Amino acid sequence: MKVNRQGKLRLQKWFTSMSDREKKKIIRDMTTMVLARQARSCNFLQWKDLKIIYKRYASLYFCLAVESQENELLALEIIHRYVELLDKYFGNVCELDIIFNFEKAYFILDEFLMGGEIQETSKQIVNRSIEASDMLQELGGYAAGCPSLSPPRSL
Amino acid sequence: MPAPIRLRELIRTIRTARTQAEEREMIQKECAAIRSSFREEDNTYRCRNVAKLLYMHMLGYPAHFGQLECLKLIASQKFTDKRIGYLGAMLLLDERQDVHLLMTNCIKNDLNHSTQYVQGLALCTLGCMGSSEMCRDLAGEVEKLLKTSNSYLRKKVTLCAVHVIRKVPELMEMFLPATKNLLSEKNHGVLHTSVVLLTEMCERSPDMLAHFRKLVPQLVRILKNLIMSGYSPEHDVSGISDPFLQVRILRLLRILGKGDDDSSEAMNDILAQVATNTETSKNVGNAILYETVLTIMDIKSESGLRVLAINILGRFLLNNDKNIRYVALTSLLKTVQTDHNAVQRHRSTIVDCLKDLDVSIKRRAMELSFALVNGNNIRGMMKELLYFLDSCDPEFKADCASGVFLAAEKYAPSKRWHIDTIMRVLTTAGSYVRDDSVPNLIQLITNSVEMHAYTVQRLYKALLDDISQQPLVQVASWCIGEYGDLLVSGQCEEEEPIQVTEDEVLDVLEGLLVSNLSTPVTRGYALTAIMKLSTRFTSVNRIKKVVSIYGSSIDVELQQRAVEYNALFKKYDHMRNGFHLSLLMIINFRFFVVLSSFKMVQVCLSCLCVVPILQANDLLDLLGGNDVVPVIQNTVSTKPASAGGELLDLLGDLSLSGIPPMTAYNKNGLKIDFTFERANPNPNIAVITIHASNSTEADMTDFVFQAAVPKTFQLQLLSPSSNVVPALNQGTVTQVIRVLNPQKQQLRMRIKLTYTHKGSAVQDLAEVNNFPPQSWQ
């Protein structure tokens, strides 16, 4: 989950099924708690039976909610790795990049994590996969054997 | 019709809105346009429209009318369409939606697509949010794909398999053949996801766990290569090679080594190596060290390794980084039961953390400090903890006060010290003390016979200063009622006795009755105290007057008491002296909860028979000496111990409700585990089965388990399977507790254990606070 300093949600990815109302409540609670934290507190919070790990990068807070047996220090590394991936892709990423290209932020996340677990530990491989998918999209990406009828339209 | 506006254009427009209302207007307009575009079945711009819809959904606006459009996009041949379609599916079509299953066929086709990126999209969607039905339908496809040699796909399929297993655990067997040679991969992504898969399987099935133990040497080798290998640009994080993989392997080793001597021995060396060679200057190195420590503590490691682990945690405690200190405190809390002495060495550092500014750290430090208190360090620790109590935030005070009382009860070096400590808590944090502490303290004071004069004097002086803290006032009133005669006779030995007259004492008590600060409960205590003094003081007339005034009080409780006390004066004057002492103790404890509506006169008469038989202390023992709620024991002692025990054991082994069992107590070789069930039909009743086991070499005989809970709960204790806990874990004693929790409050319990071990009687008290939330929610 990525939230900016005014509490606006920029990205949310759920790995367990919940009703919309529950999701909204969780986001609201988490956002309030994280934004209320003082500058030099530790990056971990306990909320019900979940641990929340958050880190602030410029104007965005990146939050992970995990089960109790997860390694918090590694979770910080996971957040950092995701930010690095975004940075490499967008070149000095800032909040506006993520706002205007939110779908790309999701695609990158989907190459890095799946079902709540890391799927690829190499930065280069993740980046290459995204670039290749983008290329496929640019070329009009039809299934093999299907001729391209019209030039690709951008979103 | 003009082409729908572009996504980025829309985003830009929406961001110019200055008010929420303006934004909502723009969104509604655009939604209308999108809806009509969907109605026209416009293939060309569907993708763009859905993307815009997803943006608006992220802002919090409803987007359900786009669900079917996502399905159409997924079915399209264009890659762009599929990409947005699957993204939309993951955001809008989770398993609670009716149309979720309609995706299944598309996903199935795309799993077999010729382009790996399309396959990737399908795998990702299935692996993140596929429902159980979908997983069941597609498990076969996933299993087939596991055989691929394409590493890009392999890692995704593996995690997809993990998700399938999580959703449909019965299908786990299906993936077993594919796990052959899982670890002979070179590709880190595939290796990482393989380790995740193995971990998932081992966690879920003891058979799998046994089966995969043979992989320990291979895992050790992989980990060794990671540490020893030179710089690898692809996986390097601050000089460490693939920390994510290292941590995952360490976690799997932990699961494989737990409880198994051979495996644990095989990993000893590598764990020592990681523990000593990892760079600690950056967070990433500490993350690995942390995981290593957790692994060392969980497996059957040799003692040298365990000490190394605890020392690492000790070093963490001195680290400047708050996160690392927090993590250290959490881990030490987990290990303090098993490696108590090793953790004791770091006691002073832990106590220093009480002064930390960070709330999370303070809480952990407090919990750990209480766990470390013992007979040797009680004086020093209590000084620190009382200082903490004075200065900490209100959210901690209640827990801290309870902890102090418990520790003081267990380890008080002298009665005087104990009373002083209690006084200190009552005067500094008196309003945060829990309600159930008051009866406990009263019992404690009763038992310290030689301190009565000192206690009542100190409490009286405290009352003169401040009558706002209710628990303090209640305990003080009770004491004055009991020992007022000692107070006025100036008999204190411990300190300078004060001069106070009967009238002054009555003034104070009457002051409590009229004060706005006193709660109804406090007033009850005060009135009862005044009444009791009628047998100790000479100014009976004054007391009679006060009591009769309150006979017409608005407060029903007070009125009832006053009326009944009046009756005592009138009808039973000759008896007043005889049984007041014990009787009024009972009334105060509301032992006869059921009888509260009865007139006290009747109670007096019935008690007349009861009181001569039982001494005050026996009564309190019947209560378990603890809380206000009576514990109704089913003493059906004729039931043969073994049969009952087996039945209860059988029930105890099934965790029917899925609530995880917990260890409630583990000290001096006696371990008590709780397992949980929900009683049908009443979901407010939690059924807890305790399993007591004894790892020492001598039996524990005459074993009695008692429990007490706070006022809002009710407790029923069924008879135990036996009262002998056999040595060396040869068997367990089980007992069933039923807890009624109509207000769904957080479950807490105080337990008292008594048994005979190697000829001497042992008694212990403990608080159980670590109930899993599912047991009381």
Side-chain angles (χ1 to χ4, degrees), chain A residues 17-150:
Chain A
S17 169
M18 280 184 205
S19 73
D20 267 349
R21 193 141 41 114
E22 282 174 303
K23 284 188 198 174
K24 285 209 165 84
K25 176 165 190 333
I26 290 177
I27 290 179
R28 225 185 11 246
D29 287 347
M30 266 176 72
T31 311
T32 325
M33 275 199 301
V34 170
L35 290 177
R37 293 284 276 186
Q38 290 171 332
R40 275 186 301 277
S41 349
C42 83
N43 296 73
F44 313 130
L45 286 171
Q46 188 78 28
W47 185 75
K48 295 203 186 163
D49 55 344
L50 294 174
K51 285 202 277 219
I52 298 176
I53 296 116
Y54 72 94
K55 192 138 186 234
R56 184 168 151 197
Y57 289 86
S59 60
L60 283 178
Y61 286 91
F62 289 73
C63 312
L64 286 178
V66 299
E67 284 166 5
S68 295
Q69 67 259 31
E70 289 298 322
N71 181 330
E72 297 96 321
L73 298 178
L74 197 73
L76 284 174
E77 291 300 318
I78 293 177
I79 294 177
H80 189 72
R81 172 56 65 93
Y82 181 52
V83 173
E84 282 180 323
L85 290 168
L86 290 172
D87 196 52
K88 185 77 193 296
Y89 182 79
F90 288 111
N92 275 328
V93 66
C94 63
E95 192 182 343
L96 278 177
D97 289 323
I98 298 178
I99 295 171
F100 279 94
N101 299 286
F102 72 95
E103 82 277 13
K104 296 279 177 16
Y106 275 103
F107 295 151
I108 294 174
L109 188 60
D110 287 339
E111 285 296 324
F112 176 46
L113 300 176
M114 191 204 286
E117 305 283 351
I118 299 175
Q119 57 176 286
E120 181 54 66
T121 56
S122 156
K123 276 187 279 195
Q124 287 87 334
I125 294 183
V126 174
N127 275 318
R128 267 182 254 149
S129 311
I130 296 287
E131 279 163 22
S133 302
D134 284 349
M135 189 80 79
L136 199 54
Q137 193 173 316
E138 284 297 306
L139 297 175
Y142 278 91
C146 203
S148 161
L149 291 173
S150 53

Side-chain angles (χ1 to χ4, degrees), chain B residues 239 321 418 474 500 535 620 628 735 745 752:
Chain B
D321 188 332
H418 197 170
Q474 287 167 12
V500 62
T535 56
L620 296 169
V628 181
Q735 196 166 3
Q745 291 199 358
K752 179 171 168 182

Side-chain angles (χ1 to χ4, degrees), chain B residues 1-58:
Chain B
M1 198 188 135
I5 69 169
R6 294 191 173 175
L7 172 64
R8 323 269 177 236
E9 203 47 58
L10 177 69
I11 297 178
R12 202 169 296 132
T13 314
I14 293 178
R15 282 172 63 76
T16 62
R18 273 159 300 163
T19 65
Q20 185 76 354
E22 218 180 308
E23 182 183 276
R24 217 173 316 144
E25 216 182 291
M26 291 178 189
I27 302 256
Q28 273 169 356
K29 199 165 124 211
E30 185 57 35
C31 277
I34 292 178
R35 262 193 236 250
S36 47
S37 187
F38 284 164
R39 267 197 296 272
E40 288 168 23
E41 298 284 334
D42 185 331
N43 288 336
T44 334
Y45 294 109
R46 183 175 288 126
C47 183
R48 185 184 286 183
N49 285 328
V50 169
K52 288 187 286 187
L53 199 57
L54 291 177
Y55 179 74
M56 296 189 286
H57 172 76
M58 192 159 66

Side-chain angles (χ1 to χ4, degrees), chain B residues 430-530:
Chain B
S431 23
Y432 298 97
V433 163
R434 291 212 182 93
D435 295 340
D436 53 2
S437 314
V438 173
N440 292 337
L441 293 173
I442 290 178
Q443 190 218 341
L444 196 66
I445 294 171
T446 316
N447 286 340
S448 333
V449 175
E450 65 277 15
M451 303 297 303
H452 285 167
Y454 172 69
T455 310
V456 69
Q457 183 164 294
R458 283 209 62 188
L459 283 168
Y460 179 75
K461 284 202 276 196
L463 267 192
L464 292 177
D465 276 335
D466 170 22
I467 58 168
S468 65
Q469 305 193 82
Q470 301 305 298
L472 170 65
V473 174
Q474 287 167 12
V475 175
S477 314
W478 186 89
C479 272
I480 295 174
E482 275 305 302
Y483 312 120
D485 47 332
L486 296 174
L487 186 61
V488 298
S489 63
Q491 280 179 23
C492 184
E493 282 171 7
E494 300 281 340
E495 60 175 25
E496 188 67 38
I498 57 174
Q499 308 291 358
V500 62
T501 65
E502 291 185 2
D503 276 320
E504 283 172 328
V505 174
L506 288 172
D507 282 340
V508 169
L509 287 175
E510 281 185 52
L512 294 176
L513 277 174
V514 301
S515 164
N516 285 336
L517 296 167
S518 301
T519 63
V521 172
T522 307
R523 291 208 181 94
Y525 272 91
L527 188 62
T528 309
I530 293 178

